[in-house]
Amino acid sequence: MTQLKPTLTTCFSPALLHLYNLSSAIVVVIDVFRATSTIASALYNGAECIIPVDTVEKAIDISTSLGAIAAGERDGQIAPGLQHGNSPLEYSKEFIAGKTLVLTTTNGTRLLQMALDNNASTIITGSFPNLSAVCDFIIKENKNVVLGCAGWKDRFNVEDTLFAGAVISKVKDHFTIHCDSSLVANSMYEQHNDNLYNFAPQLTHYHRLVSRFGLIEDIRFCLTPNTANVLPLYVGGKLLIK
Amino acid sequence: MTQLKPTLTTCFSPALLHLYNLSSAIVVVIDVFRATSTIASALYNGAECIIPVDTVEKAIDISTSLGAIAAGERDGQIAPGLQHGNSPLEYSKEFIAGKTLVLTTTNGTRLLQMALDNNASTIITGSFPNLSAVCDFIIKENKNVVLGCAGWKDRFNVEDTLFAGAVISKVKDHFTIHCDSSLVANSMYEQHNDNLYNFAPQLTHYHRLVSRFGLIEDIRFCLTPNTANVLPLYVGGKLLIK
């Protein structure tokens, strides 16, 4: 008798997350440009932990009381009142090792909160820099998985979809997948995986980051697999390496 | 000086429609399997008009008072209490010419109601059977367009996305398109347009309709362009040929 495989589904927007049963699932929070890439980078470079919060005020209050670094962005720029932003390249070993980062972002933080509100069993974060760590973990856990795309202010975006597709292309033999979102994610990834960086100028978020703020090196980092290959797991309000 | 083109965006779920400004836009309601294909078919075959309603009770009440045909589906089958369903093949000229159809469906009706609630300027319905009529109309009107996919109970689906892609591939020179959903819709359509029918077995809704209810001829009709090439326009609670 064939053993029943766990299911894998892809959710294209935080505003659709309530449609999925998260209570026995691992939710992979995906915000490729740039929150989850920054989270992987900071933890890989030795950050003690990352505390995601929803407002700049909370980021400042918590970082002050903990002696931590407050960081975040709004609409792609360092949030007013903060000294550090949401670029994965800001968090070198020299700067972040041994420190706690309190982070607030436009989309990733919101999705994480929605996953908590919908009683997700386990929450991890995924991005190209930690692609293999995510795939290894979900295969090993053998539980249902929801790939949650943060999108842009609840709208669909392509970069999170491409990462979902990258995961699917690597783990699909281990899961039951009957989900049109996953079909499209996998298809888009397989169409562009040999040259994500050249495809990127077609994405709306690329224009927001590159044309407006010149963040071309961020884009390159965020589309390169396995350069910060750790698994951020959300436990008790903090993201820690599993 | 180049004249500014109107914008075209694609919305993947009724639950995301509030993110778009509809008040000066044409909303194309898309429910390929099968409501908008059925609407095109019935009007093409001479139905006087179609009255979309949200409940079976309303369908029965209104059809009784108007001497109209009550029809509709829930979860892919003829709705309990009704004699006619949501198959485009039910509405031949012999049956429907000169009559009014009162129709309630799982997804299409909901999207139309959301478009009304969000003050859409103009509402039309689109499907492969009336693809050219939709494209001709939106090019001629020269207004902003939102391609609204009905999905399945607020989830993303591929068949509505493919129709959005078909429209985009035909009208893109006439619009400004900066929208990741439109990019994906166009890409999926261009990848599969020479053989939509063979791609269909990969879609979740195909299994719902074909494996469970044997509706293979419906699928074929719903994926064939321009066989019922009329433009259903929503005016005063009714869909009429423009």
Side-chain angles (χ1 to χ4, degrees), chain A residues 19 155 158 180 183 191 204, chain B residues 19 155 158 180 191 202 204:
Chain A
L19 301 171
R155 291 194 192 198
V158 168
D180 280 11
L183 175 66
Q191 211 179 331
T204 48
Chain B
L19 301 170
R155 292 195 192 198
V158 168
D180 279 11
Q191 212 179 327
Q202 294 191 45
T204 49

Side-chain angles (χ1 to χ4, degrees), chain B residues 73-230:
Chain B
E73 55 83 32
R74 288 294 178 271
D75 293 328
Q77 289 189 288
I78 295 182
L82 297 177
Q83 271 72 57
H84 305 284
N86 188 28
S87 166
L89 304 179
E90 289 184 69
Y91 301 99
S92 66
K93 203 166 198 158
E94 293 66 38
F95 176 59
I96 201 66
K99 296 188 185 133
T100 290
L101 181 64
V102 186
L103 184 68
T104 180
T105 69
T106 308
N107 303 293
T109 314
R110 169 165 155 74
L111 177 61
L112 198 145
Q113 189 56 52
M114 300 288 289
L116 287 172
D117 293 347
N118 284 278
N119 304 310
S121 160
T122 303
I123 299 174
I124 62 175
T125 68
S127 64
F128 284 101
N130 70 329
L131 172 60
S132 289
V134 168
C135 295
D136 293 347
F137 178 75
I138 63 176
I139 289 171
K140 187 165 152 279
E141 289 291 300
N142 197 36
K143 291 168 71 175
N144 295 342
V145 167
V146 176
L147 301 175
C149 299
W152 180 260
K153 298 183 179 179
D154 281 347
R155 292 195 192 198
F156 172 85
N157 79 25
V158 168
E159 64 272 18
D160 296 341
T161 306
L162 287 169
F163 178 75
V167 172
I168 292 164
S169 77
K170 286 169 185 29
V171 307
K172 59 186 163 195
D173 292 345
H174 301 269
F175 290 89
T176 300
I177 307 179
H178 289 307
C179 155
D180 279 11
S181 312
S182 298
L183 175 65
V184 165
N186 189 44
S187 169
M188 290 299 292
Y189 176 71
E190 296 199 340
Q191 212 179 327
H192 298 288
N193 68 353
D194 54 355
N195 217 336
L196 291 175
Y197 186 69
N198 284 356
F199 178 51
Q202 294 191 45
L203 315 186
T204 49
H205 207 145
Y206 178 93
H207 292 278
R208 210 172 289 125
L209 292 173
V210 176
S211 311
R212 289 174 59 191
F213 310 126
L215 296 166
I216 186 75
E217 289 308 317
D218 278 34
I219 299 276
R220 193 182 290 277
F221 181 88
C222 292
L223 293 178
T224 304
N226 301 326
T227 56
N229 207 16
V230 294

Side-chain angles (χ1 to χ4, degrees), chain A residues 28-29 35-50 88 91 93 96 123-138 163 167 221 224-234 239-242:
Chain A
V28 184
V29 171
T36 55
S37 302
T38 297
I39 288 164
S41 176
L43 287 174
Y44 179 80
N45 284 328
E48 189 96 355
C49 70
I50 295 165
Y91 301 99
K93 203 167 198 158
I96 201 65
I123 300 173
I124 62 175
T125 68
S127 63
F128 284 100
N130 70 329
L131 171 60
S132 288
V134 168
C135 296
D136 293 346
F137 179 76
I138 63 176
F163 178 74
V167 172
F221 180 87
T224 305
N226 302 327
T227 56
N229 207 17
V230 294
L231 189 82
L233 176 72
Y234 189 78
L239 287 156
L240 303 155
I241 293 180
K242 158 83 183 171

Side-chain angles (χ1 to χ4, degrees), chain A residues 187-201:
Chain A
S187 169
M188 291 300 292
Y189 176 72
E190 294 200 339
Q191 211 179 331
H192 298 289
N193 68 351
D194 54 355
N195 217 334
L196 291 175
Y197 186 69
N198 284 357
F199 178 51

Side-chain angles (χ1 to χ4, degrees), chain B residues 49-53 62 101 112 116 233-240:
Chain B
C49 70
I50 294 164
I51 303 177
V53 296
I62 295 172
L101 181 64
L112 198 145
L116 287 172
L233 176 71
Y234 188 78
V235 185
K238 297 173 181 177
L239 288 156
L240 302 156

